[in-house]
């Protein structure tokens, strides 16, 4: 499906990506900007030309969309997930009544079903991006309970591993409306295209420019498709939230990772999730 | 007193002679071996995930020990013929941005990912491919 190495500077596709990158640079310097919808369209065009004939729904499988073997292994693991215990522990937390008798379900529309695809959203009152995890903590706080640590796998981690499954199959539906929202989106986008760390690479270097290429033995997944299936479980039961995965890539670049739940990562998630609009959610899955 | 000094001097003399001799012998007989050893050290550094990790992006088709599926960057092959200018090759490793400002190859020297000595060893390895 993919050509092996050829000098990218000559390909038209690269020109398309460069155009996107230029827009991203423009975003950083504050000059003429593409709208979020133009960003997403440009990204879709770029990937559809690289992954010819791959339907958009397949993108949720990340790098496995390029390998039938990996996909088969994935499906057999998902038949009896070794991490079901983690999801079950999350369900216990979700269902356990608070001291005041309320529960998480009381804080969300539909008792928390089909809601996660609208997070993160921009809250104009507080001028910040609110992730699903933040909404879970707001629920704890407003019910007089202690909030969870965004980097704690055994509380927030497993709780989202369950709570997000209640939105499986919902289509990602992120809105960026108004100047305040736009600013957060642009800040997330700027981080995605900024070279960071001792290795001097941007997220986009691997997940846009080189998506579909092998980084040593790992196929690089495209940006689109990455934000709809977290948390993931790697190596059996080891859970990664989306922010933990961001941190892992940052560490690999020898950049100081932003904390889970920080404003920088929230804005990054806002941008990243917007690009995943229209894709079906499927939480708590296996990743190699 | 004086005979002792003479003796000591002559002992010293022969020690110096013998060791000079050894150094010469070693230098002659080990010249190719030590070059091999430098290439081998360079290979280790180039393959090491925590050092060069060149195999993350490049393959090295003539090195059977270079196990990778990487296809991000051009294969490292025929380097001695293709890079007559070794300083240019070293610059590529030290800071690839000098040749291509948009490169994704990490600036191993400029960002001190590798020491100067490590870059020299990797250069010797790359030239052997």
């Amino acid at each position: 499906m993919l050509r092996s190495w050829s000098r990218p500077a000559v390909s038209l596709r690269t020109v398309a990506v460069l155009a996107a990158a230029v827009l991203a640079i423009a975003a950083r310097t504050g000059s003429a900007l593409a709208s979020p919808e133009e960003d997403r369209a440009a990204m879709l065009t770029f990937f559809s030309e690289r992954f010819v004939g791959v339907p958009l729904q397949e993108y949720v499988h990340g790098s496995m969309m390029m390998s039938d073997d990996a996909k088969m292994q994935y499906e057999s693991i998902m038949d009896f997930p070794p991490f079901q215990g983690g999801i079950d522990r999350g369900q216990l937390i979700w269902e356990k009544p608070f001291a005041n008798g309320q529960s998480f379900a009381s804080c969300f529309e539909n008792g928390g079903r089909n809601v996660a695809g609208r997070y993160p959203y921009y809250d104009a009152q507080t001028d910040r991006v609110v992730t699903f995890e933040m909404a879970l903590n707001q629920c704890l706080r407003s019910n007089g309970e202690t909030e969870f640590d965004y980097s704690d796998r055994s509380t927030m981690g497993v709780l989202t591993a369950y709570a997000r499954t209640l939105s499986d199959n919902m289509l990602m539906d992120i809105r960026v409306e108004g100047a305040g929202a736009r600013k957060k989106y642009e800040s997330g986008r700027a981080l995605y295209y900024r070279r960071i760390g001792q290795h001097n690479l941007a997220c986009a270097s691997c997940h846009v420019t080189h998506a579909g290429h092998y980084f040593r033995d790992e196929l690089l997944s495209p940006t689109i498709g990455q934000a709809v299936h977290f948390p993931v479980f790697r190596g059996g039961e080891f859970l990664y939230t989306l922010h933990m995965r961001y941190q892992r890539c940052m560490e690999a670049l020898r950049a100081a990772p932003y904390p889970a739940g920080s404003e920088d990562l929230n804005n990054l998630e806002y941008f990243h999730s917007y690009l995943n609009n229209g894709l079906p959610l499927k939480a708590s899955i296996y990743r190699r | 007193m004086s005979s002792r000094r003479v003796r000591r001097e002559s002992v010293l003399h022969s020690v110096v002679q013998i060791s000079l001799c050894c150094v010469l012998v070693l230098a002659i007989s080990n010249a190719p071996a030590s070059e091999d050893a430098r290439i081998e050290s360079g290979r280790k550094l180039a393959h090491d995930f925590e050092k060069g990790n060149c195999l993350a992006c490049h393959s090295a088709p003539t090195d059977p020990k270079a196990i990778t599926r990487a296809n991000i960057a051009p294969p490292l092959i025929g380097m001695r013929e293709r890079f007559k200018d070794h300083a240019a090759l070293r610059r590529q490793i030290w800071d690839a941005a000098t040749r291509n400002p948009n490169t994704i190859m990490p600036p191993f020297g400029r960002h001190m990912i590798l020491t100067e000595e490590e870059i020299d060893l990797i250069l010797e390895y790359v030239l052997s491919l």
Side-chain angles (χ1 to χ4, degrees):
Chain A
M1 181 189 313
L2 277 160
R3 69 221 152 95
S4 57
W5 162 260
S6 64
R7 216 162 264 283
V10 294
S11 106
L12 276 174
R13 286 158 205 175
T14 311
V15 174
V17 153
L18 284 180
V22 164
L23 286 170
I25 291 163
R28 237 184 300 154
T29 54
S31 49
L33 303 174
S35 73
E37 204 39 36
E38 281 165 341
D39 279 351
R40 198 174 75 87
M43 194 76 93
L44 283 171
T45 307
F46 171 72
F47 286 134
S48 71
E49 286 171 0
R50 174 161 299 181
F51 305 113
V52 176
V54 179
L56 192 55
Q57 283 74 8
E58 281 295 301
Y59 282 58
V60 300
H61 296 300
S63 60
M64 292 180 301
M65 77 187 195
M66 297 164 250
S67 155
D68 290 341
D69 281 355
K71 186 102 171 293
M72 267 165 63
Q73 191 199 4
Y74 168 81
E75 273 155 11
S76 75
I77 289 175
M78 289 302 290
D79 280 343
F80 299 99
F83 47 82
Q84 187 59 45
I87 301 177
D88 293 345
R89 284 195 297 282
Q91 182 171 9
L92 290 178
I93 300 179
W94 174 267
E95 286 170 355
K96 187 168 179 254
F98 303 140
N100 66 6
Q102 297 289 335
S103 70
F104 281 107
S106 67
C107 293
F108 293 90
E109 265 176 51
N110 278 333
R113 288 191 184 275
N114 296 325
V115 294
R118 290 202 298 275
Y119 293 86
Y121 72 91
Y122 173 71
D123 180 48
Q125 248 109 62
T126 55
D127 184 35
R128 58 180 192 173
V129 162
V130 179
T131 63
F132 186 58
E133 286 71 15
M134 280 166 75
L136 290 165
N137 263 344
Q138 273 168 18
C139 181
L140 287 169
R141 197 178 336 120
S142 62
N143 284 290
E145 300 280 324
T146 313
E147 292 178 41
F148 294 147
D149 183 334
Y150 293 107
S151 56
D152 184 5
R153 295 181 158 89
S154 65
T155 55
M156 187 57 93
V158 294
L159 174 62
T160 61
Y162 174 72
R164 283 180 178 274
T165 62
L166 299 175
S167 300
D168 279 357
N169 301 320
M170 176 186 185
L171 302 185
M172 186 69 101
D173 182 18
I174 307 300
R175 313 270 165 90
V176 179
E177 288 158 355
R182 184 65 180 275
K183 243 179 109 182
K184 305 296 176 193
Y185 172 92
E186 297 300 346
S187 128
R189 180 165 76 162
L191 176 50
Y192 205 77
Y193 285 93
R194 187 188 308 142
R195 286 170 182 267
I196 54 171
Q198 203 182 16
H199 288 173
N200 205 37
L201 291 171
C203 312
S205 313
C206 287
H207 297 298
V208 183
T209 315
H210 288 288
H213 291 153
Y214 274 101
F215 187 81
R216 206 139 181 164
D217 294 323
E218 294 196 83
L219 260 174
L220 292 167
S221 57
T223 308
I224 291 184
Q226 284 183 338
V228 285
H229 56 252
F230 276 80
V232 301
F233 289 86
R234 307 178 76 214
E237 273 217 48
F238 204 64
L239 178 149
Y240 276 86
T241 63
L242 186 56
H243 285 198
M244 290 170 192
R245 182 67 240 202
Y246 291 164
Q247 289 178 316
R248 228 186 99 90
C249 282
M250 288 174 181
E251 277 162 11
L253 304 176
R254 302 210 184 136
Y258 297 100
S262 63
E263 199 185 331
D264 295 280
L265 294 195
N266 294 345
N267 293 345
L268 180 62
E269 182 182 339
Y270 190 43
F271 163 77
H272 195 202
S273 301
Y274 184 89
L275 294 175
N276 282 254
N277 267 353
L279 289 179
L281 270 57
K282 173 79 187 87
S284 305
I285 56 158
Y286 159 77
R287 276 287 184 268
R288 196 164 78 96
Chain B
M1 263 300 259
S2 78
S3 77
R4 224 152 123 203
R5 168 170 289 162
V6 168
R7 222 180 63 212
R8 208 197 272 151
E9 272 174 1
S10 73
V11 166
L12 218 111
H13 204 93
S14 34
V15 166
V16 168
Q17 267 185 339
I18 290 167
S19 45
L20 258 176
C21 205
C22 284
V23 167
L24 268 171
V25 167
L26 272 172
I28 293 162
S29 65
N30 281 9
S34 80
E35 198 187 308
D36 278 358
R38 285 178 67 82
I39 291 176
E40 187 51 36
S41 308
R43 169 189 283 118
K44 288 214 178 83
L45 289 163
H47 293 195
D48 190 334
F49 285 82
E50 300 299 325
K51 293 287 188 174
N53 198 16
C54 315
L55 303 184
C57 298
H58 296 274
S59 60
T62 54
D63 176 359
K65 289 189 190 157
I67 296 161
T68 179
R69 302 170 85 167
N71 60 353
I72 287 176
L76 299 174
I77 192 167
M79 297 317 256
R80 207 171 270 283
E81 294 77 60
R82 291 176 44 229
F83 277 87
K84 295 270 186 270
D85 180 356
H86 295 184
L89 181 53
R90 195 180 190 282
R91 238 180 352 262
Q92 172 73 29
I93 303 172
W94 200 85
D95 183 8
T98 55
R99 212 166 58 130
N100 170 12
N102 296 319
T103 188
I104 71 152
M105 178 161 155
F108 290 98
R110 182 163 58 85
H111 275 200
M112 292 182 283
I113 301 165
L114 298 169
T115 65
E116 299 299 322
E117 167 67 2
E118 287 170 338
I119 291 175
D120 288 336
L121 291 169
I122 290 179
L123 181 65
E124 288 192 40
Y125 163 66
V126 169
L127 281 169
S128 78
L129 294 171

